[in-house]
Amino acid sequence: MSLDGLVVRSLVQQLQSCVGGRINKVHMPSEHDIVLQLRAQGSNLKLLLSANPTYPRVHYTEQNFLNPMEAPMFCMLLRKHCESGIIESVSQPGLERVIHMQIRQRDELGDLSSKVIVIEIMGRHSNIILTDPAAGTIIDGIHHVTPAISSYRIVMPGSRYVAPPEQHKAQPFELDKERFVALLASPAPGADEEPKQEGAAVREETWEQRIVNRLSGISPLVAKELVHRCQPPLLVARTPEDNAAILWEPFRSVTEQLRQGNAQPNICELKESGKAYFSVIELTHLGGAVTSYATVSECLEAFYGDKAERDTVKQRVSDLLRFLQNERGKNAKKLEKLQETLEEGQDADKFRILGELLTASLHQIQKGDTTIEVINYYDEEQRPINIALDPLLTASENAQRYFKKYTKSKNSLIAVREQMEHTHEEIRYLDNLLQQLGTASLSDIEEIREELVEQGYIRDRSKKTKKKKANQKPVLSCFTSSEGIPIYVGKNNTQNEYLTNRLAHSADTWLHTKDIPGSHVVIRSQQFGEQTLLEAARLAAYFSQAKESSQVPVDYTQIRHVRKPNGAKPGFVIYDHQKTLFVTPDVDAIKRMPAAVK
């Protein structure tokens, strides 16, 4: 994990800015996350505490979260003990990935009480625990740990708080050169023991492993960086003491830099693998593209971005994705069968010709005949043709039989074409929904689910039937262009319809990817420059099925030229007077654009 003790140390230094601040609100947007709204040093701040098993973290955030209608029990408990409380201290025990936040608040009787929020950032064992320091007990934790889960400690209301197991490693910031060299040069515990099996070799520790195994708070990533910085490089030919002495200089440089509070939060991305790493020191050994940040919080927010939300969204939409993919598959198969029927029905004119040839030769046909040979006047070479007859029918009835076949085939072709058009429309609609689920936020999912319920695709699973308020406005994402012009983006059909049909003015500019499922985008101004148009087109391309493509065609026209046909599916419109731009979505540029939810 990149989030090691050194990152937590730098983060705790930054969080000193909230000491003395007041906790105004406590929210719990998901089962793993807590958001504290703070007022500190004259500013309003949002502090995210996450015990997400995949993305545990703590940092200030600018992200907007959708909170549940009813607050969970742990959220209610935090509100009771922490809201209106003052943050007295933020500390880190040793160099552990643990943060203690002490809060002073007046209880219901008006007496001062002190509580501590313990945030343990430990992968799948991460937790957020509210403790009573006076009694040394746990009030509650965001994740309960029972004796069946752990024999070392219990995280349950009323149980004694026990810190995570100590690793008994040395504290890097307390070492001098002599102790450092002695520690790193010493053999690993148990290295002197005889191998259990005859012939088994004792694995030699690498210098990266020596650093990680003996020093607290240092991750393998930082250990590799320290070894990489050694000048001259570490060699097997040297004694462990000599190598440890060489390693001391880069180690001293890093610890001194962090001791003085000169962290360098950065993200290093490797082009070959696409992997990204973050740290509070420069990662020269990776050789990737480096992006630096002013604070640790900004670095963490940029690194994790919406990864945790995307994972939550994937879990929430898994049933919808399966349903929509199955429906699309059914419609694709239906389209294949209709195409086969269409090709078979192309012979409809043949039955008309046979009927007309029989009509012209009625005098030659006797009842009981099974076939007749006549001249095919429709053939350029006037070749004879054999026509099968029903012996039980008269000559006229045989001719009528072919005319009926012609009429039936012709009518079936009309029906097949109508069904094919309907199936194409259905596939377009399902593709559109699949694209929307691919970029949906947690708030967008429910609107998509409600739309599918209203359209009769799925049944309403919610026990409580929420009545929609009349003229309820959906929440829209609003970006601001470099020219200061608002650009609105609809991320599902509910938002698209509201944006295009109700919010936008007739002279506003509307954009959409050409023949590609995507979002409706509206520039809310009659006057704007080429740069705003280009940025809006990039937004339309990014929030579409072609977000990973280059040179994406984007149509734009005024809202007055956009209309929804009667009976059309939600979000479907037709438009004219359009022009087309070809743009390549720039993810970094879009992330830098000021955005708000309105």
Side-chain angles (χ1 to χ4, degrees), residues 339-379:
Q339 185 63 40
E340 289 173 7
T341 307
L342 185 68
E343 289 170 3
E344 290 171 2
Q346 297 298 339
D347 293 336
D349 277 345
K350 181 181 74 174
F351 297 124
R352 177 181 59 80
I353 291 169
L354 294 177
E356 289 178 358
L357 291 175
L358 285 179
T359 303
S361 308
L362 289 178
H363 60 284
Q364 299 179 28
I365 303 170
Q366 301 295 323
K367 191 169 184 178
D369 288 347
T370 57
T371 183
I372 184 174
E373 185 178 84
V374 298
I375 299 299
N376 184 2
Y377 300 109
Y378 292 91
D379 184 12

Side-chain angles (χ1 to χ4, degrees), residues 74 118 120 167 211 229 349 360 365 437 488-489 491 525:
F74 186 65
V118 181
E120 300 174 348
Q167 296 179 314
I211 295 169
R229 291 188 186 186
D349 277 345
I365 303 170
L437 285 178
Y488 284 81
V489 178
K491 294 183 183 176
S525 176

Side-chain angles (χ1 to χ4, degrees), residues 118-153:
V118 181
I119 308 107
E120 300 174 348
I121 309 167
M122 298 180 174
R124 59 191 180 91
H125 301 295
S126 299
N127 214 332
I128 300 170
I129 305 168
L130 181 65
T131 66
D132 182 346
T137 57
I138 294 171
I139 299 172
D140 205 354
I142 199 168
H143 299 151
H144 288 172
V145 179
T146 65
I149 298 173
S150 171
S151 59
Y152 179 80
R153 66 174 190 154

